[in-house]
Amino acid sequence: MISRRSLGLGALGSLGALGAATLLAGCDKLGFSSAPKASFQGVDLTGAAYARGFSLPDQNGKTRTLEDFKGKVVVVFFGFTQCPDVCPTTLAELAQVKKALGPDGDKVQGVFVTVDPERDKPELLKAYLESFDPGFVALRGTPEQLKETAKEFKIYYAKVPGKTPDSYTMDHTAASFLFDPQGRVRVFSRYGAGASALMGDIKALIAGQ
């Protein structure tokens, strides 16, 4: 399944040097002017002029934005509930990291944006996210809202037809975007980096780097 959803990071266009990185289905780096630059294990997106936020309904119908999670490290991942490997692995690793952080786990917010709103109904999203962590939030917009959000984040998604109309799968960018407690995008964490690398970057953001 992975080979079918393997995509080059060239789908992100303006990421330039990131073009050789791997995207699975499914930078402008300005740094700080007066503080030492943080060293992340993921790709440093500090100062990027994209992935600035979102405004989408959650699994309960409430519109959510980054402002709702101010003070927390927010981890945003695009995927779909019928994804056989990439999506559940990513969510499981984030849940593992939250648990391993102990009390600091409360300072981490997972946000899952479905790229398959046609099948991912609110009830399904609610049950799916709760199976990983009851605190995770799922976002489900209209096709138009999803298109605009994907454009803002420079992520790729596309329907891959199956044998029947309902058996399609989704190709999509397989990576997480990490935002610091001030709501600024800071890290692009590629799928496959592992829970240890994710934990290191989350710890750095919690520490204010």
Side-chain angles (χ1 to χ4, degrees):
M1 296 299 295
I2 289 180
S3 61
R4 181 159 189 118
R5 295 190 307 279
S6 296
L7 302 168
L9 200 54
L12 295 184
S14 63
L15 284 181
L18 301 182
T22 299
L23 299 183
L24 303 174
C27 287
D28 183 19
K29 298 186 282 185
L30 303 180
F32 296 108
S33 59
S34 60
K37 186 176 180 179
S39 177
F40 298 119
Q41 297 187 55
V43 180
D44 190 342
L45 294 186
T46 302
Y50 58 92
R52 292 161 294 188
F54 51 79
S55 180
L56 294 168
D58 67 11
Q59 65 266 45
N60 298 310
K62 179 181 178 181
T63 298
R64 296 298 196 117
T65 70
L66 273 174
E67 289 294 321
D68 295 326
F69 310 114
K70 261 307 183 47
K72 294 187 176 184
V73 172
V74 180
V75 182
V76 177
F77 178 77
F78 292 78
F80 64 114
T81 61
Q82 296 191 43
C83 174
D85 38 41
V86 174
C87 302
T89 297
T90 298
L91 291 170
E93 287 181 349
L94 181 55
Q96 177 186 342
V97 168
K98 278 193 63 178
K99 184 175 182 180
L101 286 171
D104 278 347
D106 292 335
K107 300 176 182 178
V108 179
Q109 178 63 56
V111 175
F112 178 83
V113 183
T114 178
V115 296
D116 187 16
E118 181 179 344
R119 292 182 299 191
D120 287 348
K121 306 302 184 184
E123 301 77 14
L124 176 58
L125 286 168
K126 187 180 299 186
Y128 185 71
L129 269 293
E130 286 181 353
S131 69
F132 295 98
D133 186 291
F136 287 173
V137 170
L139 300 181
R140 175 181 179 269
T142 64
E144 293 74 20
Q145 288 175 318
L146 174 59
K147 182 178 179 180
E148 287 301 311
T149 303
K151 181 179 178 181
E152 171 62 30
F153 278 76
K154 297 186 183 296
I155 69 104
Y156 171 86
Y157 69 98
K159 180 184 290 189
V160 180
K163 294 182 178 179
T164 66
D166 294 329
S167 66
Y168 64 86
T169 186
M170 300 293 297
D171 279 351
H172 64 92
T173 299
S176 300
F177 293 83
L178 277 59
F179 292 78
D180 65 22
Q182 290 72 47
R184 301 170 299 194
V185 67
R186 301 295 304 282
V187 181
F188 180 88
S189 180
R190 300 184 185 93
Y191 171 73
S196 178
L198 180 63
M199 177 179 285
D201 288 343
I202 289 177
K203 280 184 173 181
L205 294 176
I206 289 175
Q209 295 184 33

